[in-house]
């Protein structure tokens, strides 16, 4: 019978995996940072392949620390970086470009133009988010 819940946290600067038992007790933790890219002032990017490899790596590491197998995982919960965006090539499955991180300011002028048009409430109603 599966006995662990796996929590995967795809964070802004690192990925983490925590395994909990059926009582909610933390049994294992693994974390790995990944590279932050700043190609221009205010721009923030991540390598999509590195995000994936570090997430997979911490899952395997956390399981290895306690001898867990895939069959021991009852459920997986995932949290992520909010509005970080990756565009994938539908033919190859490869990323077209680095991930554009939620902190990136490259579209701030465009966002300001949307605010100036009075669209703040409309965006919030549709997405639950502020224009940023």
């Amino acid at each position: 019978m599966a006995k662990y819940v796996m929590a995967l946290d795809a964070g802004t600067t690192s990925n983490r995996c925590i395994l909990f038992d059926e009582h909610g007790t933390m049994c294992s933790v693994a974390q790995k940072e990944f590279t932050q890219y700043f190609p221009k002032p205010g721009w923030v990017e991540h390598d999509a392949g590195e995000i994936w490899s570090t997430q997979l790596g911490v899952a395997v590491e956390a399981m290895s620390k306690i001898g867990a197998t895939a069959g021991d995982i009852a459920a997986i919960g995932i949290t992520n970086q909010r509005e970080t965006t990756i565009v994938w090539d539908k033919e190859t499955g490869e990323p077209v470009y680095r991930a554009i991180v939620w902190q990136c300011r490259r579209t701030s002028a465009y966002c300001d133009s949307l605010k100036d048009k009075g669209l703040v409430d409309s965006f919030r109603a549709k997405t639950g988010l502020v224009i940023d």
Side-chain angles (χ1 to χ4, degrees), residues 45-106:
E45 300 174 353
H46 294 153
D47 179 272
E50 188 178 9
I51 293 171
W52 169 247
S53 66
T54 56
Q55 191 68 81
L56 179 60
V58 294
V60 170
E61 181 182 344
M63 292 169 62
S64 296
K65 286 181 176 182
I66 59 172
T69 66
D72 293 325
I73 307 301
I76 300 174
I78 301 171
T79 183
N80 63 25
Q81 298 183 37
R82 298 182 278 211
E83 296 89 18
T84 293
T85 302
I86 302 170
V87 176
W88 304 91
D89 183 301
K90 71 177 183 177
E91 301 297 325
T92 66
E94 295 297 316
V96 173
Y97 186 76
R98 288 183 185 149
I100 308 299
V101 180
W102 65 272
Q103 300 166 306
C104 189
R105 304 304 304 154
R106 74 183 70 194

Side-chain angles (χ1 to χ4, degrees), residues 26-47:
M26 188 169 41
C27 300
S28 181
V29 178
Q31 180 179 359
K32 175 90 172 131
E33 290 186 2
F34 47 80
T35 308
Q36 312 295 302
Y37 296 94
F38 305 97
K40 294 183 181 181
W43 289 28
V44 187
E45 300 174 353
H46 294 153
D47 179 272

Side-chain angles (χ1 to χ4, degrees), residues 4-8 73-78:
Y4 299 107
V5 172
M6 177 181 282
L8 297 175
I73 307 301
I76 300 174
I78 301 171

Side-chain angles (χ1 to χ4, degrees), residues 118-127:
L119 297 173
V120 171
D121 291 337
S122 176
F123 269 74
R124 185 174 293 125
K126 289 180 180 183
T127 68

